[in-house]
Structures are given as C-alpha cells and as structure tokens.
Amino acid sequence: MNKKVKMILDKDFKIGEVDERIYGSFIEHLGRAVYGGIYEPDHPEADEMGFRKDVIELVKELKVPIVRYPGGNFVSGYNWEDGIGPRELRPKRLELAWRSIETNEIGINEFVEWAKRVNTEVMMAINLGTRGIDAARNIVEYCNMPEGTYWSDLRKSHGYREPHKIKVWNLGNEMDGPWQIGQKTADEYGRLAKEAAKVMKAVDPSIELAVCGSSNSSMPTFGQWEATVLEHTYDYVDYISVHTYYGNEENDIGNFLAKSLDMDEIIKTVIATADYVKGKKRSKKTINISFDEWNVWYHSREADKKIVPWSVAPPLLEDIYTFEDALLVGCMLITLLKHADRVKIACLAQLVNVIAPIMTEKRGKAWRQTIYYPYRHASLYGRGYVLNAVIDTPTYNSKDFCDVPILEATAVMDENNNKLTIFAVNRDQQDSLLLESEIKGFEDYKIVEHIVLENEDLKATNTKENPLNVVPHNNGNAVIEDGILKAILPKLSWNVIRLAKRN
C-alpha cells in the first residue's frame, strides 16, 4: 500500500533565486582527473590541444557553469608559475599532497582553454600554504590584467593576448587541516587571507573571493574557525567555503540517505556564524556560502592505501558509484537548493575519474556514473526560483538521525520560460509514496515529463562493460487532476517532475 505525502507549492512563496554556479564542479591535479581524464594527447579522440573530446561532450551535457581549479590539497604546495610558458621548460615536481609526480603539462592557460571548450568559467584557487601575498597578487595580474605590466605581458608572450578575466578565487584550501601543507591556526590564516585578499582586489577590484571555512564539521574548531576567520576577512571577501563528504561504510541505507540532514545543519550553522560576525561588525554586507566540495566519498579509500607513491597520475580516489549513492547525491542537491538564498556557489567534487560522475579508460571509453544523472537533472531543470515547499510526510529514525522525512523534495520555478520542476527522493525502503501536491499559481500548467531513477539493486553500478546499467526512465505517472498534481514515487527513487504552461 502506498504511503501518502502532501506538498503545497505557491508561486508567490519563494526561498530565493538559484545562482547557476550552485551546479559547479571541481578539477584538481589529483590522480587521473587531469592526466588521463580531461587531457590525454594520445587518445583517439584527443583534440589539437590533447583534450579528450568524448569527455568534453559529457561535461557539456551537464551544463557545468563553473569549475574550481587546481585544488584542493594540491594547491597548498603548488607554484603556479611551474605551469606556464613552454612545456619543455616546465619542471617536474614532487607533489606532496597526493604523493605523485606533477609534470605541469597542464597549467592555468591550458585549463582556461579547456574551460572554454566545455562552456564553463574557472574558479581559481591560490596557494596560501607554502606561498602568500606576493604570489597572490602576481597570479591575478597574470590572469586578469590586460597588458602593460610584467606578468600581463608575460601572459601575452605565452600566446594569450586577452586576459582570462577569472572572476572567482579561493583563498587557499582547508587551511585548518593537519593534512594540509602549511596548516594554520584560524588567526594565522585569517590574517594571511585578509592581506592576500587586499592585494588581489587592488589588482582587480571586480573579482570575488571565497575564504576557507572548516574542512568538515567534525573538526574540533568548527564554528569557532569560521567566526575567527571572518572577523579578520569580512570586509574583503564575498563567500565562505564549506566542504563535506559522506559514505555508507556501515551499509545502513536508512542512515546513509539521512546524511543530507547533516549537510542542512552544516549550512545553517555557517550561515548563523557568518551573520553573527555581520552583527558584531555592524556590517551591511552579507557573506554567502561557496559549498565548493561535496559528494559521496568512501569506496576507494582502501584501494588508495595500496598505491605506490611518486608516479604520474596514479588511479587515486576512483570511487565506483552505486545506485544508492545517486539517491544521496539527489538529496544533497535538494538541500543545496533549499538554501538558494545563501548558497551561491557549489562544486560537486570532482568531475572526471576522481570521485566523479564521469569515468574514463586510458585510450578507451568514457562513461557516466550513477551520480551523473541527478546532477545533470538539477543543472538542466533547476534554474530559476526555489519555492518554499510545505511538505507533510511520514518520518523515520535511524542510527544518527531522528525524524528523517521519507519525502525529500523541493521545486524550482523558471518564470522566464513558464516552467516548474519538482525534485523528489523517496527514502522509503519498502513502499512507494503517493504524492499529492497543490500547485497554486500553476493552474494552467501541464505535465511535460516524470523522470524516475530507480533500481532493485542498491549496489548497482555503471561500468565500461555495462555503462547503461543504472539509467533514468521517463515512464513516471505524474498527472494533474482537479488542480492537484498526483504522482507515485517508487520506493528508493529519484524523481524529476517537469511542468510547463499550456499554450
């Protein structure tokens, strides 16, 4: 028997407008993300710069608006100058964060060229681990100054006449982490980030800056780190970074799918902390969130321990994603959308091979992992205003969470194109849900499509041999009857219900 859930949507009740950068991603010089992922010059489908055209097409299909680069832990030991100029003169370096050899075949200029090919913008991270203020101002000058200075003219001599105009910059990465090269206290980092921000905005006042928050919410300084860092940097930055990853090590599906509630709490805590500093400073400016690392990550941890160090592009962090992972990714996307008023940038970490929706084989195929699909659906159909959905749903308790909603859902209205999209995950392990939704202000709308991602095997994966094992179908049964939207949401399923105005 189907359980019943109710939802009320009202055209006039909005949470906020979706910043398209909420569908961003991440490419780090880590494992096979760059070398063998986006770049493989001896691949049959490599273009004139060595970029894989099959990967480019899969990325373009996602409509990724911004990609964070080049790290991650990598950036805290990175000399950006190593990746510019003639390739034959670039040094090979010991890359200490991931214990690999970095060849520097790909650097800023090449990555900007790749970004153009996939129709995305670059979010550039700077090194505040081993480097500091001087390198920070120089890299902005190299990337964004038109001409007439040492670094801008050097860029031109490298064949890039026009400035790259990189808009968004990360002030380092996870600087609270003991694993981080150049780990700092909140005061040490806050002071350095402030001074770096000052010179970067002096070079280019149009840029936006994201300051590091805690590496994750289990850090003992979580909350206090954000407060201290923002007290130093509040007047100079635009966003504070948030990172989180989840796993299902205990093979407890109910608890695993509830972990997006933890993500929700993290967001609320960081917003509250940022607003506390705003009040303390009597500022009129609001600091928003750049959730620039999020995903499921746990499958590859044991395999990574066996990797022999100091090779080029070893197969690190190559999680093979399951159907249940796609469900949690869907819940996490819904959570980000529910905070569209304050989460303005988010980066699914990462994009290719490394904990990624896209996998590649050396000199072979590229394919979509299970998590590709909810990410793609949200990016394609989740543009516009998030509505404040009122939901009446049964709940359950799990090992770490109480009152977990069986229905996780939100809705996005695209006023410009007269479209409405409902995103919904049914967390119930036994039963389908009968969704009944009032859609106030959408009386002249019709169902366009009801997409469903479901599978009887929670551990089902997509592989190079069977790349279409877990794929969505559009045979959902959503209808509108007497102004009420009704749909059956299968047990443990991701659903996308698309509506459009009747002609």
Side-chain angles (χ1 to χ4, degrees):
M1 183 173 175
N2 298 325
K3 294 175 181 173
K4 186 179 284 190
V5 292
K6 292 189 175 182
M7 178 165 66
I8 300 172
L9 300 174
D10 190 311
K11 195 172 192 174
D12 294 325
F13 289 12
K14 304 170 184 175
I15 290 174
E17 186 173 9
V18 178
D19 188 318
E20 68 167 15
R21 297 175 300 177
I22 205 170
Y23 303 119
S25 193
F26 182 22
I27 288 284
E28 181 173 3
H29 282 253
L30 193 185
R32 297 192 309 122
V34 175
Y35 307 113
I38 66 170
Y39 174 77
E40 191 177 338
D42 58 353
H43 191 275
E45 289 197 53
D47 67 13
E48 76 285 358
M49 286 194 71
F51 295 122
R52 284 184 59 153
K53 290 186 282 187
D54 55 346
V55 172
I56 287 171
E57 289 309 307
L58 288 176
V59 175
K60 285 169 69 175
E61 192 180 312
L62 291 166
K63 294 196 182 303
V64 183
I66 194 166
V67 179
R68 184 170 172 238
Y69 174 85
N73 295 348
F74 169 83
V75 80
S76 292
Y78 179 51
N79 299 330
W80 68 270
E81 304 91 337
D82 289 347
I84 60 175
R87 274 203 176 119
E88 63 274 13
L89 300 180
R90 296 182 191 179
K92 291 182 172 64
R93 300 281 193 195
L94 286 181
E95 200 290 285
L96 301 183
W98 302 105
R99 304 192 77 206
S100 306
I101 299 293
E102 174 54 52
T103 65
N104 285 302
E105 292 169 74
I106 297 294
I108 290 170
N109 294 322
E110 290 85 9
F111 191 76
V112 167
E113 285 293 327
W114 178 82
K116 290 175 183 174
R117 284 161 166 76
V118 299
N119 304 321
T120 195
E121 299 294 324
V122 177
M123 178 180 187
M124 182 68 69
I126 66 163
N127 177 356
L128 290 184
T130 61
R131 306 292 293 280
I133 300 162
D134 203 41
R137 66 173 178 176
N138 293 344
I139 190 174
V140 177
E141 181 183 324
Y142 182 89
C143 291
N144 287 10
M145 194 77 180
E147 61 184 348
T149 66
Y150 173 80
W151 290 106
S152 61
D153 288 345
L154 185 63
R155 182 200 67 246
K156 289 177 66 178
S157 75
H158 293 154
Y160 295 87
R161 181 170 184 79
E162 296 302 317
H164 297 323
K165 298 180 181 177
I166 295 172
K167 177 78 171 176
V168 186
W169 298 74
N170 280 113
L171 296 170
N173 176 75
E174 295 185 357
M175 297 310 302
D176 61 333
W179 58 85
Q180 202 70 207
I181 298 169
Q183 178 196 13
K184 292 171 175 60
T185 66
D187 278 310
E188 288 170 341
Y189 169 67
R191 285 278 299 120
L192 178 59
K194 173 186 175 181
E195 295 305 317
K198 282 163 59 178
V199 297
M200 292 168 77
K201 285 199 169 181
V203 174
D204 184 352
S206 72
I207 62 176
E208 295 182 330
L209 301 177
V211 72
C212 291
S214 299
S215 304
N216 57 72
S217 61
S218 65
M219 298 297 287
T221 53
F222 175 60
Q224 185 57 58
W225 170 277
E226 281 76 4
T228 302
V229 167
L230 284 175
E231 283 174 3
H232 286 291
T233 61
Y234 200 93
D235 295 336
Y236 301 92
V237 303
D238 305 279
Y239 309 97
I240 185 158
S241 289
V242 181
H243 294 178
T244 198
Y245 297 97
Y246 298 116
N248 190 17
E249 293 88 349
E250 297 176 341
N251 197 27
D252 181 342
I253 182 65
N255 200 58
F256 179 59
L257 293 184
K259 290 185 177 181
S260 59
L261 275 64
D262 180 70
M263 185 188 208
D264 184 68
E265 283 301 313
I266 293 170
I267 293 170
K268 289 175 180 174
T269 300
V270 175
I271 289 171
T273 308
D275 289 349
Y276 154 75
V277 179
K278 177 181 180 178
K280 187 176 178 181
K281 287 184 170 288
R282 296 166 174 78
S283 177
K284 290 183 168 56
K285 180 171 107 175
T286 297
I287 297 290
N288 288 316
I289 287 177
S290 172
F291 212 126
D292 43 49
E293 286 188 35
W294 70 271
N295 204 344
V296 172
W297 173 20
Y298 76 104
H299 297 284
S300 61
R301 291 190 189 273
E302 287 305 311
D304 288 347
K305 293 175 184 176
K306 299 170 186 173
I307 298 289
V308 177
W310 312 128
S311 60
V312 175
L316 287 165
L317 281 66
E318 297 202 0
D319 273 36
I320 305 302
Y321 287 115
T322 62
F323 167 65
E324 68 184 10
D325 296 331
L327 293 179
L328 182 60
V329 164
C331 290
M332 294 173 81
L333 285 159
I334 290 169
T335 301
L336 291 169
L337 285 169
K338 285 181 175 179
H339 291 284
D341 57 331
R342 295 298 292 272
V343 178
K344 297 300 180 183
I345 301 172
C347 302
L348 177 74
Q350 295 188 17
L351 188 54
V352 184
N353 287 332
V354 174
I355 48 174
I358 298 168
M359 291 297 292
T360 72
E361 178 186 26
K362 188 174 183 180
R363 298 192 187 89
K365 298 177 181 177
W367 64 96
R368 303 168 186 84
Q369 293 228 65
T370 62
I371 65 170
Y372 185 96
Y373 296 104
Y375 178 34
R376 177 178 181 270
H377 293 152
S379 179
L380 292 185
Y381 308 126
R383 312 280 178 122
Y385 285 90
V386 180
L387 298 181
N388 190 6
V390 178
I391 299 173
D392 182 11
T393 172
T395 61
Y396 68 91
N397 296 331
S398 72
K399 175 176 158 288
D400 298 318
F401 302 94
C402 295
D403 300 322
V404 181
I406 287 177
L407 174 68
E408 187 66 71
T410 193
V412 180
M413 171 182 64
D414 180 353
E415 285 184 308
N416 294 331
N417 297 300
N418 295 312
K419 293 178 179 177
L420 173 69
T421 302
I422 296 168
F423 300 105
V425 173
N426 177 5
R427 290 188 173 104
D428 199 286
Q429 298 177 51
Q430 280 82 39
D431 297 322
S432 299
L433 292 179
L434 172 58
L435 170 66
E436 293 187 354
S437 179
E438 294 183 51
I439 47 174
K440 299 179 179 179
F442 301 99
E443 289 78 9
D444 54 348
Y445 277 55
K446 64 180 180 179
I447 302 289
V448 173
E449 188 176 29
H450 177 182
I451 303 168
V452 182
L453 184 63
E454 57 181 334
N455 201 291
E456 284 299 318
D457 181 5
L458 289 172
K459 308 300 181 184
T461 63
N462 291 341
T463 63
K464 65 181 178 184
E465 294 83 12
N466 192 2
L468 303 178
N469 187 36
V470 181
V471 295
H473 63 78
N474 60 356
N475 299 322
N477 62 4
V479 295
I480 297 174
E481 295 177 353
D482 301 323
I484 303 293
L485 184 149
K486 296 181 181 179
I488 300 292
L489 311 180
K491 68 175 183 179
L492 295 175
S493 63
W494 160 260
N495 297 263
V496 183
I497 303 173
R498 301 174 56 218
L499 294 82
K501 195 170 188 176
R502 297 180 188 277
N503 294 329

